Amino acid sequence: MITHLRIDNRLIHGQVAITWMNHVGANEIIVCNDKDAADSIQQMALMLAAPGKKVLVLSVTDTIAYAAEHQYDTLFVICKFPADALAVMKSGVVVKTVNVGNAAPIAGTKYVMVDKSIAATAEDAMIYREIAELNGGKLTSQLIPTLDSRDFLNMLKSAGL
């Protein structure tokens, strides 16, 4: 089971490698993104970002297969983009919690800053809403476990998305 699915285009960083790993109780991080899974240099960099932790960098399809094969494990999955997370959610794999972390603006897109560390386009907002529907109608944003989680759908609405 995916105990915690985080959408964070920074992937593995200090908040993830230490704080979230400990909070979730996972012993491995699964990075879910097709492009990163096909890039051996990016894979190596991600593994170095979490010393002493097991890191898997998998395509969306391989993440879904891995989660299905390890349904009794405590899995922590980081999806680079909301579309990656939506594909995982649509697969039917059990996901206990979903959290929007960071989403840096992507040059050349018509993004809106939803929060100081989260940019989203109108297309992203539609995907986030679909993720929420698949997650019982809710989606939260929480940078670190010690901060309160916020209703991400309300954040999108406040940002005009």
Side-chain angles (χ1 to χ4, degrees):
M1 167 177 52
I2 297 174
T3 303
H4 191 84
L5 187 149
R6 181 176 173 86
I7 302 166
D8 187 336
N9 68 2
R10 294 187 308 164
L11 300 174
I12 300 176
H13 48 84
Q15 292 171 346
V16 168
I18 304 204
T19 309
W20 280 107
M21 282 277 304
N22 292 337
H23 178 74
V24 172
N27 58 3
E28 62 189 330
I29 300 172
I30 301 166
V31 172
C32 174
N33 178 262
D34 291 344
K35 186 176 178 182
D36 290 325
D39 183 340
S40 60
I41 294 172
Q42 179 70 344
Q43 287 181 29
M44 189 181 339
L46 288 166
M47 289 177 195
L48 292 172
K53 308 286 186 194
K54 180 178 179 183
V55 176
L56 301 173
V57 183
L58 304 174
S59 67
V60 173
T61 301
D62 289 343
T63 298
I64 293 165
Y66 188 87
E69 292 169 9
H70 295 86
Q71 60 184 319
Y72 299 108
D73 293 349
T74 302
L75 302 179
F76 177 33
V77 174
I78 305 167
C79 290
K80 189 169 191 173
F81 299 116
D84 298 335
L86 179 60
V88 171
M89 298 288 293
K90 280 184 166 183
S91 76
V93 171
V94 176
V95 178
K96 188 173 178 186
T97 61
V98 183
N99 174 41
V100 180
N102 298 285
I106 298 173
T109 64
K110 293 183 180 184
Y111 65 86
V112 172
M113 294 306 295
V114 175
D115 183 82
K116 64 181 179 177
S117 64
I118 303 171
T121 64
E123 181 182 347
D124 292 334
M126 289 188 320
I127 293 170
Y128 284 127
R129 286 187 177 87
E130 195 169 348
I131 290 168
E133 285 178 28
L134 295 168
N135 192 45
K138 62 181 179 172
L139 183 60
T140 61
S141 177
Q142 187 175 15
L143 288 179
I144 56 174
T146 56
L147 295 177
D148 290 335
S149 66
R150 298 173 293 159
D151 183 326
F152 192 67
L153 297 179
N154 283 339
M155 292 169 66
L156 287 171
K157 186 176 180 180
S158 294
L161 293 172

